[in-house]
Amino acid sequence: MSAISLSERAVLEAAADAPMLGQVERWAAVNSGSRNLPGLADMAGFLADAFAALPGDVALSSPDEVDAVDADGTIRIINHGRHLHVAVRPDAPTQILLTGHMDTVFAASDPFQDLRWLEDGVLNGPGVADMKGGIALMLAALKAVEASPVAGRIGYEVVINSDEEVGSASSAALIRRAAKGKIAALTYEPALPDGTLAGARAGSGNFSIIVAGRSAHAGRNPEEGRNALVAAADIALRLKNASGAGFSCNPARIDGGGPNNVVPAHAVLRVNFRPRTPEDETAAAALLDTVIADVAREHDVHIHRHGGFGRPPKPIDAGAARLFGLVKQCGADLGLPISWRDTGGVCDGNNIAACGVPVVDTMGARGGSIHSAEEFLIADSLPERAQLSALTIMRIAERGMV
């Protein structure tokens, strides 16, 4: 750490000494699955109390209204939890954004609820890496920077949403507002076990395609029916066959059908697209429109498309490359090799980048097997990654730029 100044060293020591592991254990004991509103309310309260240690305004922001398609094609409102929003020194000359999420993929009914040590230093539990560990080290870094000589030079907003694992639809507008005017953003998704970060990311679009046909007796007059299930399957096959170098399409589920002697009049097809570039997203959207129109005409059915591309593709542009370079240099000064690689996964970093703000979105703890009962956190990465964040934030403050 020869390139670390004395003032930086004091901040790094404070960041590493924060009681992060205890926070992770307490927070991971709270089930905060994306649809578990009571658990999310508890988690939001714990986080509001913890982030009140920062010298800013702490609020729990109400979620925006979001609708979804049921299996029978009914469109209904889906409730979400409140989002933590913290604003510190909004008038400071340099402004950055830090984001995370309090929700996990594990529902209140999921059998994976408990924490256990797999071996020394490796903690298994729901959300320990994705991303309660990331939230803990984010807070540790910010508290340490607040005690530094450069604190007054930098302002920041923190958004910790309750719906990232289900697409962030109820928090997307909040994130866009918070990203406005920021020169950089750090998001606390977990790094890989070896510390590798996510670089460029593909985008993502989720759609529910509602097909309305016509019922008829399957034996007496099937020709008078319009089979919605067959039309939905035709759409799925055409979309899948059109997947290529620019985007992939995953037809994931068809809801519908009924008794064997009835031509089904209703079906809902669920599909996901992963475009690699903005141009690929445009091409995927055009394909979807064309396929829907062709199938509606050929099968004589009515089709309604619900959904959209909620996560834009995130390329590594010049601004992002500079921010990655800064994180890499901070890592080198701390004795941490920092590298990154492209990924098909998505997160709120996609949406932040679409606002024109450079973002590194895997500043969280090292861990793995996320979204499974084998999820684990490497405990030693909490102080390690808290120091990396603290040094990165300090150097942005010192330079006033990335």
Side-chain angles (χ1 to χ4, degrees):
M1 303 199 325
S2 58
I4 305 295
S5 69
L6 289 177
S7 60
E8 289 173 338
R9 193 177 301 275
V11 170
L12 297 176
E13 291 173 357
D17 289 342
M20 291 171 278
L21 181 58
Q23 288 177 321
V24 173
E25 291 176 312
R26 289 191 296 275
W27 294 343
V30 179
N31 180 282
S32 56
S34 303
R35 301 302 185 203
N36 180 9
L37 297 184
L40 287 168
D42 290 342
M43 193 67 215
F46 293 145
L47 293 177
D49 289 343
F51 278 78
L54 300 174
D57 295 328
V58 178
L60 292 175
S61 177
S62 296
D64 289 341
E65 192 172 272
V66 178
D67 58 25
V69 179
D70 283 343
D72 64 358
T74 302
I75 299 175
R76 64 181 177 92
I77 301 300
I78 299 292
N79 294 321
H80 293 84
R82 292 191 292 175
H83 315 299
L84 180 73
H85 180 219
V86 183
V88 176
R89 289 183 296 275
D91 297 324
T94 299
Q95 295 286 325
I96 64 171
L97 171 64
L98 301 97
T99 70
H101 63 86
M102 68 182 81
D103 64 323
T104 74
V105 299
F106 305 105
S109 60
D110 195 290
F112 184 42
Q113 302 288 341
D114 299 323
L115 285 77
R116 65 190 178 105
W117 290 97
L118 300 179
E119 57 184 85
D120 286 346
V122 180
L123 180 64
N124 166 245
V128 290
D130 187 23
M131 61 183 306
K132 292 173 182 179
I135 296 171
L137 71 88
M138 175 210 296
L139 178 59
L142 290 173
K143 289 171 68 175
V145 170
E146 285 297 334
S148 76
V150 302
R153 302 183 197 174
I154 192 165
Y156 52 89
E157 289 186 61
V158 176
V159 175
I160 300 178
N161 58 2
S162 69
D163 64 340
E164 192 277 338
E165 297 291 9
V166 290
S168 302
S170 80
S171 58
L174 174 62
I175 292 172
R176 283 195 301 271
R177 291 193 298 271
K180 187 176 181 180
K182 304 302 189 288
I183 65 167
L186 304 174
T187 294
Y188 286 79
E189 295 291 343
L192 293 177
D194 66 358
T196 300
L197 309 180
R201 290 184 181 270
S204 178
N206 290 302
F207 297 87
S208 295
I209 302 168
I210 306 168
V211 183
R214 184 189 309 147
S215 293
H217 193 288
R220 179 175 294 182
N221 59 331
E223 71 283 352
E224 295 181 12
R226 299 294 181 266
N227 194 311
L229 203 67
V230 171
D234 193 7
I235 295 171
L237 289 171
R238 295 187 194 204
L239 293 177
K240 182 61 178 177
N241 289 337
S243 293
F247 61 84
S248 63
C249 176
N250 182 48
R253 178 173 178 154
I254 296 178
D255 296 306
N260 282 357
N261 61 350
V262 177
V263 175
H266 162 77
V268 179
L269 168 66
R270 321 284 183 165
V271 297
N272 172 259
F273 285 93
R274 296 293 171 122
R276 291 167 177 79
T277 68
E279 294 75 21
D280 295 330
E281 180 180 309
T282 299
L287 169 71
L288 184 56
D289 288 342
T290 298
V291 168
I292 286 175
D294 290 347
V295 170
R297 182 182 65 256
E298 294 171 23
H299 289 258
D300 191 21
V301 295
H302 176 75
I303 301 175
H304 172 72
R305 186 187 79 179
H306 182 278
F309 288 93
R311 303 288 197 194
K314 191 199 81 170
I316 299 294
D317 60 15
R322 288 192 297 272
L323 181 58
F324 271 97
L326 174 61
V327 172
K328 182 174 183 176
Q329 183 58 58
C330 289
D333 292 343
L334 291 166
L336 303 174
I338 300 294
S339 61
W340 52 88
R341 70 184 190 201
D342 296 350
T343 175
V346 296
C347 72
D348 287 330
N350 291 67
N351 301 73
I352 295 168
C355 295
V357 179
V359 57
V360 174
D361 54 30
T362 37
M363 293 293 289
R366 290 188 287 119
S369 299
I370 62 173
H371 295 195
S372 80
E374 286 72 48
E375 178 175 350
F376 66 90
L377 164 73
I378 299 173
D380 286 348
S381 71
L382 293 171
E384 167 195 299
R385 266 16 201 190
Q387 289 186 327
L388 178 64
S389 279
L391 188 58
T392 300
I393 294 167
M394 285 188 74
R395 291 188 174 173
I396 292 174
E398 291 165 351
R399 300 174 186 183
M401 60 182 294
V402 175

